[in-house]
Amino acid sequence: FRSRNFKTHKHAARKCDWLVCWEHDWHDAPRSLRIIELKKFFGVGFKVWIQPAIVSQQSYLDSGNKLDWGLSKRASAGDLLLMYRCSPTKTIEDVFILDGPLRRRKAGWRSGDCYGGIIKRVCKLKSPIFLDDMRQHPVLKTASFVRRNFQGNLQVSEYWFYLHEMILNRNPSLKKKLSRFDPEKFSA
């Protein structure tokens, strides 16, 4: 199912030329191993994440349209990132896409390594989505990411329909920009 299972199951990469999987998430796989990700052939190309940005990181979100950002090691190229600005605003104001593969690197905000990649801005929400809006939404208020105050890297693909609807209701001019991320096209 996932390419990293090859390593988890302790298969020998030197005895293999090709690996076929549904989702390629083994970001430090040997270059000699050719990996085919099937979900791309079926038009299922992205997951949706809420990526918290603490106060010290928020100015970077305003500084450019391409950024190097620390992400979940389960993220894949083409995934959609809803950037959640933690206190004081508690809003989703920015939508980015992971614009290439992840790579292991030194973490900039803590000791040790992390996974990171280049993210590219899809759009900025003129009318942001507030934490309080999600707490009042009939479905989103029960979501673990809302109840846990957006702690960690949160895959929210199963809630993308509601988030997408909320974003477009507040920002109808973004319908065309977000059309390629229609909820019917995501990978859960």
Side-chain angles (χ1 to χ4, degrees):
F1 183 69
R2 291 189 171 96
S3 59
R4 74 169 182 244
N5 290 344
F6 188 88
K7 181 179 180 182
T8 303
H9 296 155
K10 300 184 181 186
H11 296 296
R14 69 185 183 289
K15 295 182 178 180
C16 183
D17 296 319
W18 292 74
L19 176 61
V20 179
C21 57
W22 178 252
E23 183 176 339
H24 177 29
D25 64 349
W26 186 12
H27 304 294
D28 53 354
R31 293 200 182 272
S32 62
L33 190 60
R34 176 122 187 228
I35 300 175
I36 304 297
E37 184 177 42
L38 291 175
K39 75 177 186 178
K40 291 180 181 176
F41 294 98
F42 290 91
V44 184
F46 70 96
K47 295 182 290 295
V48 181
W49 300 84
I50 289 183
Q51 182 69 42
I54 59 175
V55 173
S56 62
Q57 298 169 325
Q58 292 174 21
S59 62
Y60 295 113
L61 294 174
D62 298 323
S63 68
N65 291 325
K66 272 198 164 189
L67 305 169
D68 190 358
W69 206 267
L71 301 161
S72 168
K73 69 180 180 180
R74 298 178 308 150
S76 303
D79 283 359
L80 196 64
L81 307 164
L82 307 176
M83 305 304 278
Y84 175 72
R85 294 172 185 244
C86 301
S87 291
T89 61
K90 299 180 182 176
T91 58
I92 295 173
E93 296 180 28
D94 310 276
V95 180
F96 281 80
I97 187 172
L98 178 53
D99 195 36
L102 286 182
R103 64 190 185 292
R104 194 170 179 89
R105 62 179 172 91
K106 185 169 176 46
W109 69 97
R110 61 172 171 79
S111 62
D113 289 346
C114 71
Y115 285 91
I118 301 299
I119 62 173
K120 183 174 138 184
R121 185 180 307 279
V122 174
C123 60
K124 180 132 180 103
L125 307 183
K126 289 182 181 173
S127 180
I129 306 301
F130 291 87
L131 173 58
D132 286 341
D133 299 328
M134 289 179 264
R135 285 184 173 152
Q136 294 173 15
H137 188 276
V139 174
L140 295 176
K141 71 181 180 185
T142 65
S144 63
F145 65 92
V146 173
R147 290 180 304 175
R148 289 183 17 220
N149 293 317
F150 297 86
Q151 297 296 311
N153 298 317
L154 308 161
Q155 185 183 353
V156 297
S157 298
E158 66 186 288
Y159 296 99
W160 177 229
F161 174 84
Y162 304 105
L163 292 162
H164 181 263
E165 181 179 59
M166 190 179 277
I167 289 169
L168 290 184
N169 283 342
R170 294 206 171 173
N171 301 273
S173 64
L174 296 178
K175 185 172 183 161
K176 187 174 181 181
K177 268 193 176 166
L178 292 174
S179 64
R180 72 184 258 215
F181 302 105
D182 186 281
E184 299 294 321
K185 298 178 183 176
F186 79 89
S187 169

